[in-house]
Structures are given as C-alpha cells and as structure tokens.
Amino acid sequence: MTDTAPSAPPADAAIDLSADAYPAGSRYANDDLRPVPLAERRWTTYNFVALWIGMAHCIPSWTLASGLVALGMDWKQAVLTIALANVIVLVPMLLTGHAGPKYGIPFPVLARASFGLRGANLPALIRAAVACCWFGIQTWIGGQGVFVLLGKVFGGWADVSRVGGYPWTLWLCFVLFWALELAIIFRGMDTLRRFENWAAPFVLVGAVVLLIWIANKAGGFGPLLDEPSKVGWGSDFWKIFFPGLMGMIGFWSTLSLNIPDFTRFGKGQSAQVWGQSLGLPTTMTLFALMSVLVTSGSEKVYGAAIWDPVALAGKTDNVFGLLFALVTVFIATISVNIAANVVSPAYDLANLAPKVINFRTGALITGVIGVVIMPWKLTSTPELYIFTWLGVVGGLLGTVAGILIADYWIIRRTVLHLADLYLPNGRYWYRGGWNGTAVTAFVVGGVLAVGGSYSTLDAKGAKQGPFPADGLIPFLKPLADYGWAVGLGSSLVVYVALTRSRRGREAG
C-alpha cells in the first residue's frame, strides 16, 4: 500500500500525533522512537549552528584538512576541496532533515517508510556500526590527546608499565574519556543541547589560539600562505582531489542520514535549514582554513607538516598553554562524539528491539562496541584515513541516503502517515516488514559505490589499506574515487524506477 494522498498538507507544516493515535503497545514503538510532540520541538537556529560548530571543531575534522596538506596540496587547494565537499553534503542533509521538524521522528523511523518496519534495521544497523567505529576513533584520539598533553605537563607520564603495547596511563585517559561521554548522553538530548551551546565558542577560541601561536613562531601569517603546492594543478592534483573530495563528503555522510535525530527537536523548517546552512559549510571551511594554515606553519617552523594538532600543541613548553590545549581537546572531542556518534546508534539499536533496548541502553552498547574495535588503526596514516575508511563509509551511506531522498521527496512528496510507521501490517509493512525494492536499490548502489575499493601503494610498493591494489572488483575501480556520489545517484535512480514500475504493474 502506498500513501500518495491527493490533498497533502503544506510541505513545511509540522504534524503531531495525538497520544490516542500513537500505538504505544506495538512492538515497533517505545518512548524514544515516538514522534516528538510539537510543544517539545524547541531547538532554534542557534541550537543547530552551535551543534555544527561543536561537531566540526574536533581533531578528526582538523586532520582532514591538514591531511590534505600532508599529501601535497597547498592551503588554497585543501580549503577549496573541503568547502566544496561540505556544500555538496549539505544538500542531502537538508533533504533528509526535513522530516524531523515536520513529523518529529528519528532516522530509523523515517527509514521504515522506504525499507519497511523490519527492513529499516538494515540501514539503521549500518549507520549504527559506522557510528560505533567513529565513537571508538574519537574516544581514542581524545584520550590520546589528553595523555600527550598531561605528559608534557607532569613529565614521566609515559614512562610506566605497558598494557597491550601502550602505557597504562594512556588506557586510563581512554577509559575516563569513554565514561564521561556516556555520562553526558545518559542525561538526555536537552543536556546535549546545553553542552553544545557553550562548548562551540570555547573550541573555536582554542583553534584561533593555536593559529596565532604557530603564526607567531613562523614569523607572521605570510609564511603560512606562501607554502607552495607539491602537486600543482595538473594530473597529480586530480588524483588526490577526487578521492579527497569523496572522503570529505564521507566524513559527514553519516549525519546526512541521521540528521532527523536532531531536527526532530527543531521549532520549524527554518530553524533546521538556516541552522545547518550557517553551521556546516561555513564552520568546516573556516576550520579547514585554520587547520591548513597551522599545518603549513608547522612545516616552516619544524621542517615537516604536523597534521596532528595534539602533537603540535605538545611542542610548547608553556604550562598554561598546555593546560588550555588539554581542556580544548577534551571539550572538542566530547562535543562531537556524543552528538555525532552516540545519539544515532542509540536510536538505531532501540529500533532493532524497541521493547528491550531504549535510548540509554543503545548508548551503552555503542560505548562497548567502540572499545572493542581497536580504533587506533584507522587513523594511522592520512591515506588510510581519508581514502580507505572515509571513502568506503561514504559510499555505503550515500547509497542509503539516495533511497531515503527518493522515497521521501520523489515518491511520497514528503507525505507520511505517522501511525503506520509503528504498525505491523500497515502501509509500510510491505512483505513481511521488508520492501524488496529498497533492498535491491541498496545492493545495486552499494556494489557500484564500493565494489571497486582499492588500496594505494607507498613509495616501496606496499599496500596502504586492506583492499587489492586493482580493486575488489577491478572493472569498478574507476568508480571507487566517487563512491558517495555513485552510491547516492545509482540507488536513487534504481529505487524510483523500480517503484514506479511496480506501481504500473499493480495499476494494470
């Protein structure tokens, strides 16, 4: 059954679901997945801007830009790549985010409309798995940053016995970081909103301080801007640009899916549209500019591009500066991690078994998985981090985004029937709770997007990743550098074509 009502409400009109219409007894419903009542949708434009500033100003997003410099780009090329990527990824972010303030539903419930009540667990668990990995990566990076800076403050911090090849003090920082993150998210989304409101400007100040410090050591901003490109604007540049662009898009492709988890609390469409438009591309571009300037400055001062801001901050002998950097790293990492990597899997896992797993239980499961995946390996080199990890993740998540956008905007024209999103045998039940059309589109898009995934070779001919050098499926290798775009475009086209073909057969 489909829901193409001829008298649809205005596209931006917020819709509420009364208590008596909400099927609370359904096994596909719980308090965390139910639509947010209109009276509780309070997030303003500033809240969304602050959310994005808090998420963008973190160590991994810093290393995106500085990693491009380390790979040979100059500051103009790196900033251009990142600015373009964030303008591109903003589009699906706004499209999927539309359902949040209109219906008050999180990402896994929105996915039920296209994948089916049971089938929605496929994209939800893929998104959850990626978020769990990101949670582990961010927590490890944050704990490592605290470890390095405390070592500079106290001395001898690393000269202790080792566990699993690392000092036990590093593991202590990692565990403390992990516990604090979960403690904050356990207090709920309103606590997260208040935390992001003050964390965002604090982290921005920290980045500016680091920029001023390295500029002073380099003799002003001139030397930072004069560092030439090592790849020029020829073929060597394009070899880095396209996979780098997809990697930058892949960095936020996760949020382009589960942004309804946040926009469902928005006061209206204008709050989420303006908040995201002002918060994401501008913040990431500004942060990228600061990152590449600092990295270029580090090359002038120390003779090598230092793309890790913690390692760079650790070179100062000023105790106050080290403590300030310590607090900045702490707040920056926590602000992005709990927003970007705990909220989503908490809802996604709750969607898997609503009567067993609630939001807090899902957050705890996320934390446990983030510890056991050994996240430190993924950020060992910029090649592995940007091209392999972000590229593959972006390809898969772009495929899901294509299906969500096709179903919500092209097929349904933003019209959903809220109660049926929680009812077995309703209009979104399809066959046994699965929409075969969405699954087919996902498989086709996913194979095209990541089937050609390959590993680069270093100067000695050694692979820099887990894939064959000529690609998993060699003839698809040329598509691998465009994984996110290929996945989104192909799944969107396949889903629309199959859905309309099916409707034509049913009508006939």
Side-chain angles (χ1 to χ4, degrees):
M1 184 181 292
T2 57
D3 51 330
T4 53
S7 55
D12 290 343
I15 296 174
D16 209 353
L17 187 63
S18 60
D20 59 337
Y22 177 69
S26 169
R27 65 179 180 274
Y28 297 98
N30 67 19
D31 289 340
D32 295 311
L33 297 177
R34 73 172 298 164
V36 175
L38 280 173
E40 297 177 19
R41 302 179 198 176
R42 295 190 290 260
W43 285 36
T44 64
T45 297
Y46 175 75
N47 294 138
F48 287 110
V49 171
L51 176 73
W52 275 114
I53 292 175
M55 289 196 294
H57 291 168
C58 63
I59 298 173
S61 62
W62 180 282
T63 57
L64 285 178
S66 56
L68 291 177
V69 173
L71 291 171
M73 288 188 180
D74 64 14
W75 72 272
K76 296 184 293 295
Q77 294 169 329
V79 171
L80 170 65
T81 303
I82 290 172
L84 179 59
N86 283 280
V87 169
I88 292 172
V89 81
L90 176 65
V91 175
M93 201 87 69
L94 296 177
L95 292 176
T96 54
H98 183 277
K102 182 171 182 178
Y103 295 103
I105 54 176
F107 156 65
V109 175
L110 173 62
R112 292 174 180 180
S114 52
F115 282 84
L117 267 71
R118 288 175 173 167
N121 287 316
L122 173 63
L125 290 180
I126 290 173
R127 173 64 184 98
V130 172
C132 290
C133 290
W134 268 122
F135 175 79
I137 290 171
Q138 294 269 18
T139 304
W140 176 259
I141 289 174
Q144 196 173 39
V146 172
F147 168 78
V148 169
L149 295 174
L150 283 178
K152 289 286 292 185
V153 173
F154 297 113
W157 187 249
D159 300 328
V160 295
S161 59
R162 293 178 170 260
V163 177
Y166 294 93
W168 69 263
T169 46
L170 175 54
W171 292 114
L172 175 63
C173 294
F174 178 67
V175 171
L176 289 177
F177 223 94
W178 178 90
L180 183 58
E181 289 169 332
L182 293 184
I184 293 174
I185 200 62
F186 258 57
R187 295 181 62 85
M189 290 294 290
D190 203 48
T191 299
L192 173 62
R193 177 178 63 86
R194 292 194 298 269
F195 179 80
E196 296 290 350
N197 283 348
W198 69 263
F202 184 91
V203 174
L204 180 58
V205 170
V208 172
V209 168
L210 185 60
L211 174 61
I212 294 173
W213 171 70
I214 195 65
N216 182 63
K217 292 186 73 68
F221 288 100
L224 277 61
L225 299 172
D226 291 340
E227 191 66 25
S229 170
K230 295 182 176 64
V231 294
W233 289 95
S235 60
D236 289 341
F237 167 74
W238 298 112
K239 289 177 183 177
I240 297 176
F241 172 76
F242 285 112
L245 181 69
M246 291 300 109
M248 301 305 108
I249 293 173
F251 188 77
W252 290 124
S253 63
T254 51
L255 268 295
S256 69
L257 292 187
N258 75 284
I259 195 64
D261 294 344
F262 301 96
T263 61
R264 67 193 296 231
F265 298 97
K267 292 183 69 173
Q269 292 299 337
S270 62
Q272 75 101 3
V273 170
W274 281 107
Q276 293 202 81
S277 299
L278 294 173
L280 173 58
T282 55
T283 296
M284 282 296 291
T285 302
L286 176 62
F287 205 53
L289 178 60
M290 289 192 289
S291 171
V292 296
L293 289 178
V294 170
T295 304
S296 296
S298 71
E299 188 160 19
K300 285 288 185 183
V301 175
Y302 300 107
I306 302 174
W307 68 304
D308 183 350
V310 173
L312 183 59
K315 288 187 173 292
T316 181
D317 294 322
N318 184 288
V319 174
F320 174 79
L322 287 167
L323 289 175
F324 181 78
L326 176 67
V327 175
T328 301
V329 166
F330 205 75
I331 293 175
T333 306
I334 289 177
S335 68
V336 65
N337 217 13
I338 59 179
N341 303 317
V342 180
V343 172
S344 171
Y347 283 127
D348 296 337
L349 293 168
N351 187 71
L352 181 64
K355 295 304 180 184
V356 178
I357 303 174
N358 59 20
F359 181 81
R360 288 179 170 82
T361 306
L364 181 60
I365 295 172
T366 300
V368 172
I369 296 175
V371 170
V372 302
I373 61 165
M374 298 184 292
W376 47 88
K377 294 184 180 296
L378 287 174
T379 54
S380 57
T381 66
E383 292 87 358
L384 180 61
Y385 177 45
I386 294 175
F387 296 166
T388 303
W389 164 244
L390 291 180
V392 171
V393 165
L396 288 176
L397 298 182
T399 301
V400 175
I403 295 170
L404 294 183
I405 293 169
D407 183 80
Y408 182 70
W409 283 96
I410 300 175
I411 301 299
R412 305 189 188 281
R413 305 297 177 90
T414 76
V415 178
L416 299 176
H417 294 257
L418 273 178
D420 280 6
L421 290 170
Y422 302 89
L423 288 172
N425 302 315
R427 70 183 66 234
Y428 306 116
W429 185 247
Y430 299 102
R431 292 186 178 181
W434 289 79
N435 182 7
T437 299
V439 174
T440 300
F442 174 77
V443 171
V444 172
V447 170
L448 292 175
V450 305
S453 297
Y454 64 95
S455 297
T456 57
L457 302 177
D458 63 16
K460 298 180 179 179
K463 287 195 308 176
Q464 299 294 297
F467 304 116
D470 58 351
L472 288 171
I473 304 176
F475 75 90
L476 292 179
K477 182 179 178 180
L479 300 179
D481 290 344
Y482 315 93
W484 180 84
V486 169
L488 188 147
S490 60
S491 65
L492 185 150
V493 170
V494 170
Y495 184 84
V496 171
L498 291 179
T499 300
R500 289 179 172 171
S501 174
R502 187 193 71 226
R503 289 183 175 182
R505 291 194 304 271
E506 291 173 352

